[in-house]
Amino acid sequence: MKPQHYKTVVIGGGIVGAGIFRDLALHGVDTLLIEKKDFSSQTSERSSKMLHGGIRYLENLDFALVFEALHEKNLWLKLTPHLAQEVPFYLPVFKDAKRPLWMIRLGMFLYDFLSSFKNSPYEIKSAEEVLTIIPDLKTTGLFGAGVYYDGIMDDAKITLEVIYDALKERCAHAMTYTAVTTVTKLHERNIIHCKNLLTGVAFSVTCDQVVYALGPFTDRFLNNIPMYHWENVLLPSKGSHLWISYKDLPLKYPIVITTKDDRVIFVIPHGDQILVGTTEVAFNGDFFDVKPSDTEINYLLAELNDYFPKLGLNHDHILSSFAGIRPLVKEAGAGDRGKTSREHKIFQPMSDTYVITGGKYTTFRVMGQEITRDICHKYGKSFNPDYSKQKLRQRSVVVPFEWKLPTTEELIRICETEGPKTFLDLVVRRLSVSSRKTWELKTNGVDFKQYFMKNLEDLKKHLVISEEDIDKFI
Ligand SMILES: Cc1cc2nc3c(=O)[nH]c(=O)nc-3n(C[C@H](O)[C@H](O)[C@H](O)COP(=O)(O)OP(=O)(O)OC[C@H]3O[C@@H](n4cnc5c(N)ncnc54)[C@H](O)[C@@H]3O)c2cc1C
């Protein structure tokens, strides 16, 4: 059979690929998005879940990045209010802190200034005020806190809704569980060789332009394609997080911990769960199978216990944990992952081939615009940078801030309209449940197995699912 031809193929269904896919679709460019696993199942669901300017990048003098990220943050807070919220972040300051309160005040003023004063304005709170809001915080040497505003979000859901929105356009097509195995060229056409990982069937499609949005997988994939003569560009950096129940770590607002090794850890309430992270370590293992190490978990717990000594947090308090790889782009002379810029980079190994990597979740919309503009011009279309500022047109059935147990009809609607292929796609990304403990917390003790067994026959019509899959979920 003659392979299907597309103008553009985007490889990688994380937030970066999703953003480019949507922008191309909104401009009427016939595009196929190919993702090896489920959409948003890698780095883009393992972030610290902040839409933020990155206040700490001010110290690296990354003003342009912070300016751009703050404006994007405020845009997405408006566009996806059901998936993102602005909240106050408390940055406590203790005696002998490397950054005294006056410096924090200056940084926060600059942060609000760079947002064109669209952020809710920063405040400085006294120690007494802080302790009424965060009573479990350590008191020794507490001077007060700076309070600034950033966004918290459901990272997996935003990526999914960006893709659902693109798929409203007739020129947009997408596949999950499809691994691109290699890419070759014949008579100016790119041949994208694929394998469906659920059926094992190999096939190919062709395209004029190919966009690689592979995040941390970029070097490993492109190294295997001889025609690109690829040289590694990434400094992969692993970051781990813990989820802890609100009842064990009762915190109303996010708090920023300054660690003993002068890093920051965010402790962020998301409803009945608290997200704690992150770490920053080198990692060379399998990027598709990355988990927090014991050392990272102990490090996060130790820093938590230093700030909240009364709570005595330990491994038993962890609901679940996860890790991801930051696709940091190497900079000449920069060995410190924490200080490496979060700017993205675009490479063009051939005139019809774009590779985009690095950057931050928050800036995804603008990161890919250079590529979309270039591709639009190749087809004589004018590029409008504001198309992607339109509201997303399909809302997820289950949304984080109004979580409730879906009915059978809702489960079926998710299967029919949100594209899950496996049981985990449904539970983890469409229902936002990361473990059995999280399920128990969210449902107030509804029996996990009974609930899914009751719906098994209906779900089997749409998903790869068995009783064993339900039992295996921990
Ligand atoms: C610990 C941590 C915390 C972070 N916190 C924040 C934060 O709070 N705020 C923020 O703005 N940013 C944050 N970031 C950065 C942000 O998460 C990433 O920059 C962003 O998610 C990267 O998205 P991506 O689309 O480039 O990569 P990914 O989401 O990894 O997408 C790449 C996709 O390519 C697919 N793929 C790989 N190989 C193939 C193949 N052969 N065929 C088809 N598909 C393939 C993968 O399956 C994957 O889905 C954080 C990152 C980390 C790791």
Side-chain angles (χ1 to χ4, degrees):
M1 239 167 64
K2 203 167 159 241
Q4 179 83 36
H5 183 77
Y6 299 88
K7 285 202 168 81
T8 305
V9 167
V10 177
I11 307 175
I15 188 60
V16 176
I20 295 171
F21 176 54
R22 172 172 180 251
D23 216 1
L24 286 169
L26 292 173
H27 283 86
V29 180
D30 172 44
T31 304
L32 172 67
L33 175 68
I34 304 180
E35 165 54 46
K36 182 169 177 175
K37 308 270 179 166
D38 187 18
F39 297 128
S40 200
S41 60
Q42 303 305 313
T43 326
S44 299
E45 71 161 358
R46 292 147 194 241
S47 78
S48 302
K49 307 186 193 300
M50 292 186 292
L51 283 174
H52 66 153
I55 196 161
R56 70 199 168 97
Y57 305 136
L58 290 177
E59 285 195 333
N60 303 354
L61 309 180
D62 263 341
F63 298 133
L65 175 68
V66 175
F67 174 86
E68 187 171 68
L70 282 169
H71 284 78
E72 286 304 299
K73 163 196 104 164
N74 285 318
L75 173 72
W76 286 99
L77 285 173
K78 262 202 233 130
L79 289 181
T80 53
H82 59 298
L83 300 178
Q85 281 178 350
E86 189 189 59
V87 285
F89 279 67
Y90 280 71
L91 205 167
V93 178
F94 295 91
K95 188 166 168 265
D96 301 331
K98 196 174 154 202
R99 295 165 199 83
L101 263 179
W102 69 263
M103 201 186 277
I104 301 289
R105 186 191 292 273
L106 183 68
M108 290 183 177
F109 172 78
L110 199 55
Y111 202 57
D112 288 357
F113 171 75
L114 289 172
S115 79
S116 309
F117 296 108
K118 297 246 168 62
N119 288 350
S120 294
Y122 80 91
E123 295 161 75
I124 299 290
K125 300 243 188 232
S126 67
E128 293 70 38
E129 286 174 303
V130 175
L131 289 171
T132 52
I133 293 161
I134 317 169
D136 294 314
L137 186 65
K138 77 170 164 188
T139 50
T140 322
L142 181 67
F143 268 10
V147 181
Y148 67 96
Y149 287 78
D150 258 336
I152 58 165
M153 60 152 170
D154 185 324
D155 49 5
K157 281 267 152 85
I158 293 185
T159 306
L160 288 170
E161 289 197 11
V162 167
I163 293 172
Y164 306 153
D165 189 68
L167 289 170
K168 298 280 173 214
E169 304 296 327
R170 287 182 56 189
C171 60
H173 315 268
M175 295 173 181
T176 51
Y177 290 96
T178 304
V180 174
T181 48
T182 191
V183 175
T184 54
K185 271 197 123 158
L186 186 68
H187 310 307
E188 298 307 307
R189 281 195 165 188
N190 291 291
I191 308 175
I192 316 290
H193 303 264
C194 304
K195 186 174 180 186
N196 181 315
L197 296 183
L198 298 178
T199 62
V201 173
F203 66 99
S204 56
V205 297
T206 61
C207 62
D208 302 338
Q209 320 289 326
V210 53
V211 179
Y212 293 97
L214 293 169
F217 307 93
T218 304
D219 284 338
R220 291 183 178 183
F221 184 82
L222 294 177
N223 272 325
N224 289 323
I225 304 187
M227 65 181 174
Y228 295 144
H229 307 290
W230 187 252
E231 286 186 15
N232 289 348
V233 297
L234 293 180
L235 189 69
S237 152
K238 181 185 173 200
S240 294
H241 288 88
L242 313 175
W243 283 112
I244 291 183
S245 166
Y246 174 85
K247 68 176 170 35
D248 297 322
L249 178 49
L251 194 62
K252 264 181 70 202
Y253 301 115
I255 171 166
V256 186
I257 291 180
T258 307
T259 63
K260 291 182 208 75
D261 54 345
D262 198 27
R263 297 186 55 258
V264 292
I265 291 175
F266 295 97
V267 187
I268 307 177
H270 284 255
D272 42 18
Q273 298 182 80
I274 312 286
L275 181 64
V276 182
T278 175
T279 55
E280 183 121 29
V281 291
F283 182 74
N284 279 315
D286 179 356
F287 288 178
F288 279 109
D289 184 22
V290 41
K291 294 185 183 76
S293 66
D294 285 345
T295 315
E296 288 173 284
I297 294 177
N298 290 335
Y299 167 81
L300 292 173
L301 285 173
E303 295 294 344
L304 268 182
N305 282 323
D306 181 41
Y307 265 54
F308 301 101
K310 285 184 256 167
L311 299 180
L313 295 163
N314 62 44
H315 286 249
D316 294 340
H317 294 109
I318 300 171
L319 294 171
S320 65
S321 60
F322 63 90
I325 307 291
R326 294 177 191 84
L328 302 182
V329 182
K330 276 191 227 170
E331 287 177 316
D336 180 344
R337 287 173 163 77
K339 296 228 157 53
T340 301
S341 168
R342 268 49 179 173
E343 292 277 3
H344 73 281
K345 284 264 166 54
I346 294 171
F347 303 88
Q348 251 193 296
M350 292 183 171
S351 61
D352 57 4
T353 305
Y354 304 83
V355 179
I356 179 166
T357 192
K360 290 161 60 64
Y361 193 114
T362 310
T363 50
F364 78 92
R365 189 188 69 88
V366 280
M367 276 170 63
Q369 284 191 331
E370 209 180 301
I371 297 177
T372 316
R373 179 182 293 114
D374 212 38
I375 293 178
C376 282
H377 289 168
K378 284 182 179 168
Y379 294 108
K381 291 176 188 283
S382 63
F383 174 73
N384 186 334
D386 288 343
Y387 278 3
S388 50
K389 287 186 178 168
Q390 293 166 31
K391 277 212 159 198
L392 304 176
R393 289 165 286 181
Q394 184 181 324
R395 191 183 150 108
S396 309
V397 173
V398 172
V399 293
F401 302 135
E402 304 153 23
W403 201 94
K404 61 179 178 46
L405 191 63
T407 60
T408 301
E409 290 67 36
E410 284 170 329
L411 281 180
I412 302 307
R413 190 141 53 86
I414 292 172
C415 293
E416 286 172 350
T417 61
E418 299 187 6
K421 294 273 169 56
T422 69
F423 180 60
L424 287 187
D425 300 349
L426 175 71
V427 179
V428 178
R429 281 167 292 281
R430 307 315 187 275
L431 305 187
S432 308
V433 172
S434 54
S435 69
R436 287 246 187 172
K437 283 187 184 171
T438 319
W439 170 269
E440 275 158 27
L441 192 74
K442 280 183 178 297
T443 61
N444 247 329
V446 171
D447 189 280
F448 183 80
K449 183 158 183 186
Q450 249 177 33
Y451 172 82
F452 283 105
M453 286 305 289
K454 188 181 86 191
N455 291 297
L456 187 62
E457 290 314 309
D458 285 317
L459 290 173
K460 269 187 180 165
K461 294 179 196 144
H462 303 271
L463 296 179
V464 179
I465 176 176
S466 64
E467 184 172 349
E468 201 191 335
D469 293 327
I470 299 171
D471 286 334
K472 267 196 326 214
F473 188 76
I474 44 168

